[in-house]
Amino acid sequence: MKSTVNIIGSGFSSLAASCYLAKAGYEVTIFEKNTTIGGRARQLIKDGFTFDIGPTWYWMPDVFERFFSDFNKKPSDYYTLEKLNPAYSVYFGEDDYITIEDTLEKITKAFENEEPGSSKKLKTFISKAKSNYDIAIKDLVYNPGVSPLELITPATIKKINQFFSTIKKDVRKEFKNDRLIKILEFPVLFLGAKPSDTPSFYSFMNYADFGLGTFHPKKGMYQVILAMENLAKELGVKIKVNSPIDKIIVENGEAKGLLSNGKNHYSDIVVSGADYHHTETLLEQSKRQYSENYWKKKTFAPSSLLFYVGFDKKLKNVNHHTLFFDVDFDIHAEAIYDNPKWPENPLFYASFPSITDGNAAPDGKEAGIFLIPLAPGLNDTAELRNEYFDKIINRFEKLTSQNVKSDIIFKESFCINDFIKDYNSYKGNAYGMANTLLQTAFLRPKIKSKKVENLFFTGQLTVPGPGVPPSLISGKLVADLVTKHHSILHESTI
C-alpha cells in the first residue's frame, strides 16, 4: 500500500512538493482553505479584466525549466512565455526615466549614457553576479538548510568575503550615479531586505535581472499555477479546495493527519506550505519549535498595499513593469524595517499587463496593478488605503504626464488585513522572511520539525527564501527530505 501525504496549502511550494512526492510514489492530497488554488498567486477577474493578485515578475526561467524537466516536461507544454522588451522602466522625476531593455548589451549602453565609464564597470559587476548565480541557483539553493556545511564548498570559500560585505557597499564602491545605484539595488528588494542588510553574494539577483531578463507568461502568472495543477493531477495528486485546517493531528509525537471542516484526514506524512508561524499554531504549545518571541525578533520581508485598477483607456508613457523611484528610498526603507509606520512618500511599482497581453483587459482599456511596500503589522484601514491611492495616483499622473483619475472604471485593494485573512500570513507579510546574513540557509526555520515526527514545512519562511523560483525549489527540497527520511524510517522497521 502507498504511503500517504497530506499537504496544507496550494501555492507554488505546495504544488511543487506534491508533484515530486507523487512522482516518488506517495499518495498525495492537497488541502486549500480558499475557493481557488494558487496561494498568493491567485487571480482577480472583474468586468473583463484579469489581474494576477500576487507575483507579477517572471525571473529565473531556468528554475522553471529545471522544475518541469524533472517530470520530462517543458514550460512550453503548458504556457507561452514572452521575453519583455523593455523589461521595465524606472521613473526618477517628471518625464525623467531610464528604460532597462532586454539584453545586457543594450543595458550597458543605457548605463554609459547616464554615467560615462559605467558600462565597463557594469560588465565586470554582472560577470561576478553570473558567477554567484551559477553557484547559488545551480547548486547551493538545492540544499535543505540542515547544516552550515552546506554553504562550504570550494566555490563559496573563494567568495567568503561576499557573505560579510553588502550589496549596498559593493554597488556604491563602483557606481557614483544615484539613479544607476537605485536600479542596481532594486533586485534585492525581492529578497525582502534592505541592500545594506543583504550579503554581496546575493548580487546573483542582478544577473537574473540584466543577464537573463524579465518574462511574461501569456494570460499571466496564474498560468504557471494552472500548469503545476495539471502536472500534479497527471501524477495522481488530489486537490481539495474550501478546506481550511483546524488542527494537525498528533499522536505519540507523530503527525497523523489533518482536521478540516470537522473531519479527520489521516496520513503518514504532513507537509505544510502554509505560513510557518500559522502552521505551528495548529499544534499544541509543547509541539511548537519556535516561540512568539522568536518570530518577533526576525526580519520579515515587507507587506504590500496593492491596487487592481481598470482604466477606460490605454495609458501612455508606461511599460509593462514601471518603477517609481522619484522619492528617497532610504526614508521609505526606514519606515519598513527600522521604525515601522506608514511611509510619508512611498516608492511604488506599477504593472500594466494589458500592454503585453490582450487577455488582461478589454480592447482599448488598460489593467493596472499598483504596489506600495509596507512594514508588516501596520494598522490597515479603508481610509488609509484610499489616502495612499490618492497619493500615488496623483504622482503617477504628474510623472507620466497624463490624466487618468477620471478614466478609472473600478479599483480593488489588497493589504495587510487581506494577507492575514486569506493566507494566515504572520503580521500580514507578503514575501515571507528576509534573506539577511543571519537568516540565510541553515539559519532559517527548518524544513523538518524537530518536535513532531513526520511533519515538514515548505515555502518562503523556510529555505531557500522569498520569491517564486525559491518556492519551486523549496517544494523539491521538502519532497527530497520526506523521501529520504521515510526510507530511513522504513528500513529501520524492517
Side-chain angles (χ1 to χ4, degrees):
M1 203 167 122
K2 279 187 176 184
S3 296
T4 54
V5 182
N6 284 341
I7 298 180
I8 306 173
S10 66
F12 284 108
S13 57
S14 291
L15 286 169
S18 78
C19 292
Y20 285 111
L21 287 165
K23 184 189 172 192
Y26 292 87
E27 193 176 296
V28 183
T29 306
I30 287 174
F31 292 79
E32 167 56 55
K33 78 185 276 286
N34 293 309
T35 55
T36 57
I37 66 159
R40 284 166 166 78
R42 294 178 302 152
Q43 274 185 328
L44 168 66
I45 298 171
K46 182 170 179 173
D47 298 348
F49 292 82
T50 302
F51 304 89
D52 282 312
I53 289 179
T56 52
W57 292 77
Y58 191 107
W59 271 9
M60 304 186 186
D62 50 320
V63 175
F64 295 86
E65 284 160 17
R66 184 165 170 177
F67 168 76
F68 284 106
S69 74
D70 284 343
F71 305 92
N72 297 316
K73 302 280 187 184
K74 302 187 293 292
S76 59
D77 293 334
Y78 299 98
Y79 54 89
T80 305
L81 212 52
E82 180 179 344
K83 190 172 190 184
L84 294 181
N85 186 30
Y88 56 91
S89 52
V90 187
Y91 270 90
F92 297 99
E94 206 171 328
D95 290 329
D96 175 17
Y97 56 87
I98 292 176
T99 298
I100 299 301
E101 293 190 74
D102 61 340
T103 66
L104 185 56
E105 193 183 337
K106 293 175 190 170
I107 297 165
T108 50
K109 279 180 188 164
F111 267 58
E112 191 64 29
N113 289 340
E114 190 66 29
E115 182 186 322
S118 65
S119 59
K120 193 177 174 189
K121 289 177 179 175
L122 181 65
K123 282 176 185 166
T124 305
F125 184 81
I126 296 298
S127 171
K128 285 180 187 168
K130 181 186 186 305
S131 166
N132 289 355
Y133 189 91
D134 289 342
I135 294 164
I137 304 303
K138 293 176 182 172
D139 183 16
L140 280 192
V141 293
Y142 286 90
N143 285 318
V146 173
S147 159
L149 297 176
E150 292 169 3
L151 290 178
I152 301 167
T153 68
T156 56
I157 287 167
K158 288 178 190 166
K159 293 176 179 281
I160 195 75
N161 293 341
Q162 291 192 39
F163 287 93
F164 299 100
S165 184
T166 68
I167 291 287
K168 184 172 184 171
K169 275 185 196 163
D170 283 14
V171 167
R172 286 161 196 255
K173 194 166 66 185
E174 298 298 334
F175 300 90
K176 301 295 170 253
N177 181 295
D178 188 54
R179 291 141 64 96
L180 300 184
I181 286 168
K182 282 179 175 173
I183 290 171
L184 286 167
E185 289 182 347
F186 145 69
V188 302
L189 300 181
F190 285 110
L191 301 169
K194 291 191 294 186
S196 56
D197 290 334
T198 304
S200 302
F201 185 71
Y202 284 103
S203 69
F204 64 72
M205 293 296 289
N206 294 105
Y207 176 70
D209 181 2
F210 289 0
L212 295 174
T214 305
F215 295 78
H216 173 73
K218 194 175 180 189
K219 298 188 180 177
M221 287 292 284
Y222 197 63
Q223 295 307 303
V224 187
I225 290 289
L226 295 178
M228 295 175 78
E229 178 192 29
N230 284 339
L231 176 60
K233 286 181 171 174
E234 287 166 25
L235 293 161
V237 175
K238 296 186 191 73
I239 300 175
K240 294 176 184 282
V241 293
N242 299 312
S243 298
I245 304 305
D246 302 309
K247 194 172 94 173
I248 295 171
I249 302 162
V250 178
E251 294 171 8
N252 302 319
E254 285 185 32
K256 290 290 186 184
L258 303 171
L259 172 64
S260 174
N261 293 329
K263 188 180 169 194
N264 287 339
H265 300 268
Y266 291 99
S267 62
D268 299 303
I269 306 276
V270 171
V271 173
S272 178
D275 178 275
Y276 204 125
H277 168 270
H278 168 72
T279 303
E280 290 223 309
T281 69
L282 302 173
L283 299 163
E284 57 191 63
Q285 195 85 40
S286 64
K287 300 288 187 263
R288 298 173 193 173
Q289 306 167 90
Y290 303 107
S291 65
E292 286 300 315
N293 210 27
Y294 169 89
W295 295 109
K296 274 182 199 156
K297 287 179 178 171
K298 292 297 161 191
T299 302
F300 271 79
S303 186
S304 301
L305 169 55
L306 290 136
F307 296 101
Y308 310 98
V309 186
F311 292 98
D312 203 12
K313 67 175 184 184
K314 300 302 284 182
L315 303 189
K316 304 180 302 183
N317 305 327
V318 287
N319 287 311
H320 184 125
H321 295 299
T322 309
L323 305 165
F324 295 87
F325 284 4
D326 55 307
V327 297
D328 191 317
F329 169 68
D330 289 336
I331 294 173
H332 186 165
E334 205 174 286
I336 297 173
Y337 298 103
D338 306 326
N339 178 24
K341 61 182 180 184
W342 283 82
E344 192 74 26
N345 292 306
L347 284 82
F348 66 99
Y349 149 70
S351 172
F352 304 96
S354 44
I355 288 174
T356 304
D357 194 335
N359 297 285
D363 284 350
K365 303 186 191 316
E366 205 86 89
I369 301 165
F370 295 82
L371 182 152
I372 302 171
L374 294 175
L378 296 181
N379 185 34
D380 168 19
T381 66
E383 293 74 23
L384 279 164
R385 294 187 189 197
N386 287 329
E387 179 191 330
Y388 274 79
F389 183 73
D390 289 341
K391 275 189 185 197
I392 64 169
I393 209 72
N394 288 336
R395 268 172 50 208
F396 177 82
E397 287 191 323
K398 192 174 177 203
L399 291 164
T400 64
S401 305
Q402 63 188 316
N403 296 321
V404 300
K405 277 187 278 195
S406 57
D407 298 289
I408 292 172
I409 304 166
F410 65 82
K411 80 170 196 297
E412 298 278 341
S413 64
F414 198 95
C415 196
I416 288 165
N417 293 348
D418 302 297
F419 280 103
I420 294 168
K421 177 174 70 73
D422 287 4
Y423 312 129
N424 294 310
S425 164
Y426 180 71
K427 289 189 176 179
N429 79 80
Y431 303 104
M433 196 186 276
N435 264 338
T436 59
L437 178 62
L438 296 177
Q439 293 181 177
T440 290
F442 67 97
L443 296 170
R444 296 179 73 78
K446 300 298 181 200
I447 289 181
K448 181 180 179 299
S449 172
K450 295 174 283 191
K451 291 201 173 182
V452 179
E453 198 62 46
N454 297 331
L455 174 60
F456 296 81
F457 300 83
T458 186
Q460 51 193 10
L461 266 72
T462 182
V463 287
V468 177
S471 292
L472 293 184
I473 294 165
S474 187
K476 177 175 171 54
L477 295 180
V478 75
D480 289 349
L481 214 56
V482 165
T483 309
K484 187 176 168 188
H485 173 73
H486 210 216
S487 65
I488 290 167
L489 270 188
H490 184 65
E491 281 164 20
S492 66
T493 57
I494 292 171

